[in-house]
Amino acid sequence: MTRKNWFVLVAMLLIGGGIIAYSLRTVNIRLLVRDFFTLNWWWMLVALICICLYLALEGVVVKAFMANRYPSFTWRDAMRLPPIEQLFNGITPFSTGGQPAQLVAMLQSGVDGGVASSVLLMKFVVFQAMIVINFLVSLVIGFHFIAEKLHALSLLVLLGFTIHLAVIVGLLLVMYWYNFTKKAMNLVIKPCAWFMKPARYERMRLTLNEKVDSFYKESLRMKGEYGKLAKVCVVTLCQLFFYYMIPYFIMLALDVHGMNFVMVVSLHVLIFMIISLFPIPGGAGGAEYSFSVLFASFIGSGSKLVLAMILWRLLTYYFGMFAGMVALVVKPDKIKHDVEGE
């Protein structure tokens, strides 16, 4: 990690501490401490297992994509990538740092840059597609709940869905209408030349075209591997499901009962979509606010609501970042150069 990365990490920890302190301003600390010491730690263990499975199953996806490209790419290296992604997603606006960080980690293992980029791109496509599918189901179940609670949040949810759907549509256009999409992309980015230096614009244009070409080549390969793609989609759905269940188990740990499991999971799907729109790393502020507003109906006690929010953020945000710091220290295994076709 660079000095700038460390600075942002410390800043996010301070911001998180500030948000927690602000949330505690109207809470009886004595009650919150009592709620903490009366937690059902077995349910908290289940929540912890859920976030661990979320990270582990992403490693399974990486391993599946790498299996016939680099058979010697180890499970250790595959499991090292998701925490690194979580760390750099957590310290960059709009979670933009995860992909480059994973690419560097794969290069450290000896993976060819083109292969690594293609694998990460396909993983991203599958992940985005499964998010959209989950969101469509959750929209039917939980959108009216958000609309009743806070109209502004419902607008953010729809905006988030539109952005994720546009990404998927764009990638599908590359897969099935490659020439048209490439021409359209170059036409769309032309106005950027009015505001950018010629050399910078040309670098951007070449980079975008290279990424489109790389994704198209990888999509041709994947079209012949529908079985593998279907398995990866199922694993990714399971991965997301474990993540979405975390608030339910946290509330059980706080002795909150009478909850509708499907509604809680659906609301967490919608919160996930809202967080992706906040430019501050980790969706800081927006994440905590969304959780507090949407789950207040399930948790009657103010102290329990704040404690649930803190525990949720520790598991879904900070746990991944600290796991990523450990993963950075782990020395990668060097693969043998056994790329398929060589």
Side-chain angles (χ1 to χ4, degrees):
M1 286 177 63
T2 64
R3 184 178 296 179
K4 181 180 178 182
N5 293 148
W6 279 109
F7 174 79
V8 175
L9 176 61
V10 172
M12 293 315 301
L13 291 174
L14 292 174
I15 290 172
I19 292 171
I20 290 172
Y22 182 79
S23 302
L24 292 172
R25 74 194 189 283
T26 57
V27 171
N28 187 321
I29 301 299
R30 188 174 297 175
L31 285 177
L32 186 137
V33 172
R34 186 201 66 185
D35 292 335
F36 177 78
F37 283 107
T38 55
L39 277 172
N40 185 323
W41 290 101
W42 289 109
W43 284 123
M44 280 305 302
L45 179 61
V46 174
L48 178 62
I49 290 171
C50 282
I51 191 62
C52 290
L53 287 172
Y54 170 76
L55 296 172
L57 287 175
E58 187 168 345
V60 172
V61 170
V62 173
K63 182 65 175 173
F65 276 129
M66 292 293 289
N68 61 348
R69 294 168 174 83
Y70 286 94
S72 62
F73 187 78
T74 65
W75 278 104
R76 176 179 172 176
D77 282 348
M79 293 298 168
R80 183 172 172 260
L81 290 185
I84 290 175
E85 178 189 18
Q86 291 297 307
L87 170 60
F88 285 91
N89 276 346
I91 60 174
T92 51
F94 297 111
S95 302
T96 53
Q99 289 285 96
Q102 289 180 94
L103 178 60
V104 171
M106 293 180 81
L107 292 175
Q108 289 174 343
S109 298
V111 180
D112 175 75
V115 174
S117 297
S118 297
V119 166
L120 292 175
L121 192 54
M122 288 308 299
K123 183 166 77 74
F124 172 77
V125 172
V126 172
F127 191 79
Q128 290 294 312
M130 296 308 103
I131 284 177
V132 169
I133 290 172
N134 280 317
F135 178 78
L136 287 172
V137 175
S138 301
L139 194 64
V140 174
I141 298 170
F143 184 72
H144 70 280
F145 189 88
I146 288 184
E148 289 173 6
K149 289 290 176 186
L150 197 61
H151 183 63
L153 280 184
S154 63
L155 294 177
L156 285 175
V157 165
L158 291 176
L159 179 59
F161 171 68
T162 303
I163 292 171
H164 284 276
L165 184 63
V167 170
I168 292 299
V169 170
L171 293 170
L172 288 174
L173 284 172
V174 174
M175 291 176 70
Y176 295 101
W177 290 281
Y178 168 69
N179 291 324
F180 165 77
T181 307
K182 194 167 181 180
K183 289 177 182 176
M185 182 199 71
N186 283 292
L187 185 65
V188 168
I189 65 172
K190 272 192 174 181
C192 295
W194 305 339
F195 311 101
M196 300 171 68
K197 292 180 180 179
R200 186 180 177 189
Y201 170 78
E202 188 61 21
R203 282 198 305 272
M204 180 192 74
R205 189 187 67 81
L206 289 173
T207 300
L208 289 174
N209 277 275
E210 286 172 5
K211 287 188 179 297
V212 168
D213 293 341
S214 174
F215 176 68
Y216 178 67
K217 289 175 184 176
E218 187 64 22
S219 69
L220 291 177
R221 180 188 185 113
M222 291 308 298
K223 285 176 185 178
E225 299 179 337
Y226 281 118
K228 177 189 286 188
L229 196 58
K231 290 176 184 176
V232 167
C233 288
V234 170
V235 172
T236 304
L237 278 174
C238 292
Q239 174 198 357
L240 288 168
F241 187 62
F242 282 118
Y243 179 87
Y244 295 142
M245 288 193 295
I246 290 172
Y248 182 76
F249 294 122
I250 289 175
M251 286 190 276
L252 284 179
L254 286 164
D255 199 33
V256 177
H257 297 286
M259 299 171 291
N260 183 319
F261 174 78
V262 176
M263 178 62 78
V264 171
V265 170
S266 298
L267 290 177
H268 198 205
V269 173
L270 301 181
I271 289 174
F272 186 85
M273 193 66 70
I274 292 169
I275 293 173
S276 66
L277 291 176
F278 282 81
I280 302 173
E288 292 84 357
Y289 176 70
S290 302
F291 184 94
S292 299
V293 169
L294 295 181
F295 288 116
S297 296
F298 299 97
I299 308 173
S301 166
S303 60
K304 283 188 176 182
L305 179 62
V306 172
L307 182 57
M309 182 268 290
I310 293 170
L311 294 171
W312 170 72
R313 276 303 258 177
L314 285 173
L315 286 178
T316 60
Y317 180 55
Y318 296 104
F319 178 82
M321 290 206 299
F322 286 114
M325 292 172 69
V326 174
L328 286 178
V329 177
V330 175
K331 188 177 179 180
D333 294 322
K334 285 290 183 180
I335 61 163
K336 299 173 184 177
H337 290 281
D338 49 7
V339 185
E340 184 181 58
E342 284 191 352

